[in-house]
Amino acid sequence: LKDLADTRAELAKKKKEVQSKLGSAQKLLNLLTAQEKAALATQEQERATRAGERVDLGNSKGSGRAGAAFAAAQSVIGAPYVYTHAGPSSFDCSGLTSWAYAQADVTIPRTSEAQANAGTRIYSQSDLKIGDLVIFYADQHHVGLYAGNGQVLHAPHSGAVVRYESIANMPYQFGVRI
């Protein structure tokens, strides 16, 4: 019990330190002008895009319909995210996945929530194959295509472009094999 009390005290001390640092960081952010905040957001987006360009996926291309859908999605890397768009020049997340599968002559539902029920669910990330749908967040509001090597190809959010990103950057729920 004494060890537990010591651990709790140490954790409380660390929590205070982190909260203090967060408070200081928030004060600094509040001092930025709108123009500085926009420049910072642009830099963050460029950094994420560059990181996505350097992704090592190994040498697998996927196979069958999933492989064809994945290849279609790869062909639009860099296309802008635009909410409610389903290609061919701009996409939201489920617009990208439904468009990619359509290029492989497979019709899937338009929304991420509906796509979550469009095939066989895969709960273990180690069982995912290239081109499988990957569903994120408890409310299933985001979807991408598994790219191999722990990466997902997706249209992440407004102001971003279609890109690769680590599957670990978002709360994975399950995969869907079409």
Side-chain angles (χ1 to χ4, degrees), residues 1-175:
L1 287 175
K2 180 172 178 356
D3 285 346
L4 181 58
D6 290 346
T7 300
R8 284 185 176 167
E10 183 64 28
L11 288 174
K13 180 181 169 186
K14 295 288 184 188
K15 182 179 178 181
K16 270 188 175 178
E17 288 175 23
V18 169
Q19 287 175 330
S20 174
K21 289 179 182 180
L22 282 172
S24 296
Q26 188 60 54
K27 286 178 186 176
L28 286 173
L29 283 174
N30 290 342
L31 294 174
L32 294 176
T33 66
Q35 187 178 12
E36 290 169 328
K37 287 179 184 177
L40 192 59
T42 299
Q43 288 174 350
E44 183 179 324
Q45 181 61 39
E46 288 172 355
R47 198 169 31 254
T49 299
R50 282 194 308 274
E53 292 168 354
R54 295 187 303 263
V55 169
D56 176 15
L57 300 175
N59 56 10
S60 182
K61 300 284 186 206
S63 61
R65 300 177 301 180
F70 181 71
Q74 284 181 303
S75 74
V76 295
I77 289 174
Y81 176 101
V82 179
Y83 184 65
T84 73
H85 285 212
S89 57
S90 58
F91 302 88
D92 66 8
C93 66
S94 58
L96 173 65
T97 53
S98 62
W99 176 86
Y101 267 93
Q103 304 318 294
D105 293 323
V106 178
T107 301
I108 63 173
R110 173 61 180 85
T111 67
S112 58
E113 295 87 352
Q115 289 176 12
N117 297 308
T120 304
R121 287 192 177 184
I122 302 151
Y123 292 98
S124 173
Q125 289 183 30
S126 63
D127 292 335
L128 291 172
K129 293 183 180 178
I130 291 175
D132 284 342
L133 299 176
V134 184
I135 307 297
F136 296 98
Y137 301 98
D139 64 358
Q140 303 170 359
H141 74 263
H142 190 64
V143 63
L145 294 165
Y146 187 65
N149 205 23
Q151 300 291 310
V152 63
L153 179 56
H154 68 143
H157 54 77
S158 294
V161 296
V162 174
R163 67 181 186 216
Y164 295 106
E165 189 167 340
S166 172
I167 200 169
N169 288 353
M170 296 164 284
Y172 173 83
Q173 299 302 301
F174 52 86

